[in-house]
Amino acid sequence: MQGHGGFATPTAEAASTRFPPGAFRVNILLLGEVMGRSGRDAVKARLPRLRRDLAIDLAIVNAENAAHGFGLTERLAGELYDSGADILSTGNHVWDQRELIGTIERDPRILRPANFPDGTPGAGSRLHPLGDGRTVLVINLMGRLFM
């Protein structure tokens, strides 16, 4: 085990020993609740190494609070993609930055919750191609407990 940011994480080699030969395996990393500049800076500093060290096939980043705790912008989405994010998930704060309405219609990698009402801009799921030709279905859902 080697540490990343104070947390013990398995190496890609250790993870590969848990699956029988020929098994379908996808290494998915989900980063939750990236909050403001400090969260974006942490993603930028850590995600490239995590992808490499853990042989990550798909990196999903919850980015609904990436704009100082109030939604997401197209520019910030680009920063997260440049850092190694494949998919950006969102939630109820997705509309805090009004400019995202047009962006979410054009960018299939930004997912709003699939259980939002019909007619809501954007998509709640995506068939995402992996680098080796396989495809993974990613679905973004939002719970409504105590809301």
Side-chain angles (χ1 to χ4, degrees):
M1 301 281 257
Q2 53 186 339
H4 289 282
F7 297 98
T9 53
T11 63
E13 296 81 31
S16 67
T17 62
R18 296 185 204 145
F19 298 95
F24 180 77
R25 182 187 68 177
V26 178
N27 285 338
I28 299 172
L29 176 67
L30 177 59
L31 299 178
E33 204 66 48
V34 172
M35 178 69 76
R37 179 180 303 280
S38 60
R40 296 189 318 269
D41 288 347
V43 170
K44 185 176 185 178
R46 306 286 181 159
L47 183 54
R49 183 173 171 202
L50 285 170
R51 285 197 77 122
R52 182 187 67 243
D53 290 354
L54 300 176
I56 299 299
D57 297 306
L58 177 65
I60 302 170
V61 175
N62 180 275
E64 73 165 329
N65 287 307
H68 309 290
F70 299 100
L72 176 67
T73 66
E74 186 171 12
R75 180 182 65 79
L76 298 180
E79 281 183 24
L80 293 168
Y81 293 143
D82 289 346
S83 298
D86 296 306
I87 300 283
L88 303 178
S89 64
T90 64
N92 60 317
H93 293 283
V94 66
W95 312 121
D96 288 354
Q97 301 292 326
R98 305 301 282 170
E99 75 174 67
L100 194 69
I101 293 172
T103 304
I104 204 167
E105 288 286 352
R106 292 187 311 274
D107 187 345
R109 297 174 298 167
I110 300 175
L111 298 180
R112 51 111 171 127
N115 54 340
F116 272 11
D118 290 341
T120 302
S125 64
R126 169 177 170 74
L127 282 171
H128 187 78
L130 300 178
D132 61 6
R134 295 179 295 167
T135 303
V136 175
L137 174 62
V138 180
I139 302 171
N140 184 27
L141 297 171
M142 186 176 88
R144 297 190 207 192
L145 185 63
F146 304 119
M147 292 183 81

